[in-house]
């Protein structure tokens, strides 16, 4: 988990309201305290990692489709 940084080093922030299941929120709060990061930092890191994971999975899927089409046209 990245350490806390000064606000000047970060991108501009937007405020939102999100509802989480209580058990998941409790688990996230405990993990944030254990890792000595803010809950906000933990959630930003987790969301960023999940979006990157999904982008990679989508890219692999697109690559497989294009490989199948190239093989079928031969």
């Amino acid at each position: 988990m990245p350490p806390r940084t000064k606000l000047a080093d970060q991108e501009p922030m937007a405020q939102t309201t999100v509802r989480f299941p209580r058990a998941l929120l409790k688990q996230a709060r405990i993990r944030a305290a254990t890792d000595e990061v803010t809950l906000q930092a933990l959630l930003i890191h987790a969301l960023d990692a999940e979006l990157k994971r999904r982008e990679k999975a989508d890219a692999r899927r697109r690559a497989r489709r294009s490989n199948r089409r190239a093989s079928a046209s031969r």
Side-chain angles (χ1 to χ4, degrees), residues 27-74:
Q27 185 179 0
R29 284 182 175 148
I30 291 169
R31 173 54 66 177
T34 302
D35 291 352
E36 297 180 351
V37 297
T38 63
L39 179 60
Q40 176 179 307
L42 178 78
L43 294 176
I44 289 170
H45 179 75
L47 180 58
D48 186 52
E50 176 61 14
L51 291 173
K52 286 178 182 174
R53 184 193 69 79
R54 288 182 183 212
E55 286 174 10
K56 286 180 184 176
D58 289 346
R60 283 193 304 268
R61 235 178 267 120
R62 283 191 302 271
R64 276 186 293 216
R65 281 189 204 132
S66 65
N67 286 341
R68 284 187 211 145
R69 288 181 189 144
S71 297
S73 65
R74 289 182 187 173

Side-chain angles (χ1 to χ4, degrees), residues 3-14:
R4 294 182 192 183
T5 59
K6 296 177 184 175
L7 290 179
D9 297 342
Q10 296 179 353
E11 293 181 42
M13 301 294 259

